Amino acid sequence: MGGNALKAESIRLPAGRYSEVEHHAVTTLRQHFPDRRIEAVMAYADKANFGDLDILIETDTGYDARQFADVLQATEVVVNGDVTSIGLAVAEGVFQLDLIRTESDSFDFASRYFGLNDFGNLIGRIAHKFGAKFGHLGLLYPLRAPDDHDHLLAELCITRDFSQALKLLGYDALLYESMRGNGQFKNLQDIFRYVVSSPYVNREIYLLDNRNHKARIRDAKRATYNAFLLWLDEQDEIKLPAYPWAEAGTAARDEQKQKFLETTFILFPDFRQAYDQALEKYARKKQLKQQFNGELAADITGLSGKQLGELMAQVRHSFIDESSFENFFLEADSDAVKARFLKEAALLLSS
């Protein structure tokens, strides 16, 4: 994605020629893989030329990007995670085509997220301010440990319904689908006007100086993102939303995030259940570690080094399954824990 992943120099194609190449590539792939959903990413209607072609490929456990590359007679294949860039031989030279591995349950979301240039990236700034993550897999919530915010417990799915995600972030989802379906996103300005239509928009959240280092370096290279910043500078600030985002790390900012979280709990009960279960799992793991750890075992048995490691493994494997092991150490008192370690240590030393 971006048109510069290949060793060979990739050409740009004018819109008319691009449409021909897109139609041929998608048709060819669908003919060879009729059981998979295959779809080109949407561009805005008046885009004049293209540096690459992005195609979403519905995946399963048997996905092999090189099969698709072979069907298209790729001149070069570069695999980078879920994106496989290939060189496509056209009359004008080599054109970059990106095959994007996409899970079935997030296909519709990914199609909309990747479409219309940086649309998804720009929308995602509001999600980020609320502590969420708006990406090709859906609207996610990075759940961190209550006692250690550097410890990411899980990325929980709030929703994979694109319209529901837009509504939650303050956008008119029906308007988006109408414009998308009727080709009304004709140019970048149409995209930008929609992006700033949420009441949660504030131009400050998009400025590169207000981004973290990684995001600043990434988005500084993106032509559409920079065009959006220039467009913002040209707008009358009085007419743009200016949501009063609190400073990061303040109690006021935490309160904004908490209100958003409480709203998601009401609208998405499955997310609330997953959230509660993840915290419960973490609490159990933390409690288990207090009852079952090498320092405690060493104090009880006097073992150390290799023998201590063998003891820890032996104790764990002395239960019929992981659940029985966890339940014992979560429910047992200190005397029972001590007895268990001493019993297994005696067996270990006598073997």
Side-chain angles (χ1 to χ4, degrees):
M1 301 174 71
N4 56 4
L6 304 177
K7 292 181 180 179
E9 183 176 355
S10 178
I11 62 168
R12 296 189 70 86
L13 290 176
R17 185 73 179 102
Y18 170 85
S19 294
E20 295 174 358
V21 172
E22 176 195 299
H23 177 74
H24 180 265
V26 171
T27 300
T28 300
L29 290 172
R30 286 175 176 170
Q31 288 174 345
H32 283 81
F33 304 96
D35 295 332
R36 293 182 188 268
R37 189 174 173 187
I38 297 173
E39 181 179 306
V41 168
M42 176 181 285
Y44 58 87
D46 293 344
K47 188 169 184 178
N49 55 74
F50 296 76
D52 64 355
L53 166 60
D54 297 331
I55 297 180
L56 305 184
I57 307 289
E58 182 183 27
T59 62
D60 55 24
T61 54
Y63 176 80
D64 181 358
R66 293 185 182 275
Q67 292 180 336
F68 301 91
D70 289 344
V71 164
L72 294 173
Q73 299 180 330
T75 61
E76 183 180 347
V77 179
V78 179
V79 180
N80 183 17
D82 287 338
V83 179
T84 299
S85 299
I86 70 172
L88 192 65
V90 296
E92 298 85 349
V94 175
F95 185 62
Q96 181 174 319
L97 186 153
D98 291 335
L99 303 169
I100 305 173
R101 176 175 181 162
T102 309
E103 301 297 331
S104 299
D105 57 2
S106 58
F107 197 99
D108 286 329
F109 205 103
S111 175
R112 286 157 174 76
Y113 176 80
F114 286 127
L116 304 174
N117 283 50
D118 258 359
F119 177 84
N121 184 30
L122 293 171
I123 296 290
R125 293 298 304 131
I126 292 175
H128 178 76
K129 298 299 284 188
F130 279 127
K133 181 179 179 180
F134 186 85
H136 65 286
L137 296 177
L139 181 61
L140 309 180
Y141 185 81
L143 177 61
R144 300 187 179 278
D147 54 353
D148 181 5
H149 285 185
D150 291 332
H151 182 190
L152 180 65
L153 299 182
E155 284 194 339
L156 305 175
C157 178
I158 297 174
T159 181
R160 289 192 175 93
D161 184 314
F162 199 81
S163 290
Q164 291 295 327
L166 286 180
K167 290 177 185 177
L168 192 60
L169 300 176
Y171 289 99
D172 185 336
L174 291 178
L175 175 61
Y176 165 79
E177 288 296 339
S178 175
M179 293 183 69
R180 185 178 189 273
N182 296 320
Q184 291 177 293
F185 286 111
K186 293 186 178 300
N187 50 48
L188 289 178
Q189 289 70 35
D190 290 335
I191 296 171
F192 298 162
R193 279 190 288 270
Y194 184 87
V195 166
V196 300
S197 66
S198 167
Y200 300 120
V201 163
N202 186 313
R203 69 185 302 275
E204 296 295 322
I205 71 176
Y206 300 101
L207 301 183
L208 293 176
D209 287 344
N210 295 333
R211 310 290 304 281
N212 63 45
H213 177 74
K214 182 178 179 180
R216 183 165 60 250
I217 296 299
R218 180 195 65 211
D219 287 337
K221 300 176 182 178
R222 302 183 70 88
T224 301
Y225 197 95
N226 283 282
F228 177 66
L229 294 178
L230 291 174
W231 182 84
L232 284 178
D233 287 339
E234 297 169 356
Q235 307 310 303
D236 186 343
E237 290 190 23
I238 297 176
K239 296 180 181 179
L240 288 176
Y243 187 76
W245 290 105
E247 288 292 327
T250 64
R253 180 67 174 281
D254 290 341
E255 183 179 352
Q256 289 175 332
K257 290 182 178 182
Q258 186 60 33
K259 286 183 178 179
F260 173 83
L261 190 59
E262 290 171 358
T263 299
T264 64
F265 288 160
I266 294 171
L267 296 175
F268 305 101
D270 288 345
F271 165 62
R272 174 60 186 266
Q273 182 179 16
Y275 179 95
D276 290 341
Q277 289 176 344
L279 287 181
E280 181 183 351
K281 181 180 179 181
Y282 175 70
R284 282 174 57 88
K285 184 178 180 180
K286 189 175 180 181
Q287 183 183 351
L288 178 64
K289 193 173 182 179
Q290 292 176 342
Q291 293 277 72
F292 181 78
N293 62 77
E295 184 178 353
L296 178 62
D299 288 342
I300 293 172
T301 65
L303 297 180
S304 62
K306 182 180 178 182
Q307 284 188 323
L308 180 60
E310 291 174 347
L311 172 65
M312 299 299 286
Q314 181 169 308
V315 171
R316 182 183 288 271
H317 296 146
S318 68
F319 294 88
I320 59 174
D321 54 34
E322 188 71 10
S323 179
S324 298
F325 158 72
E326 290 184 358
N327 288 337
F328 173 82
F329 280 96
L330 288 171
E331 298 170 2
D333 59 23
S334 59
D335 289 338
V337 169
K338 180 178 181 180
R340 189 77 187 209
F341 275 122
L342 290 173
K343 173 186 174 182
E344 296 300 330
L347 291 173
L348 175 67
L349 294 173
S350 65
S351 62

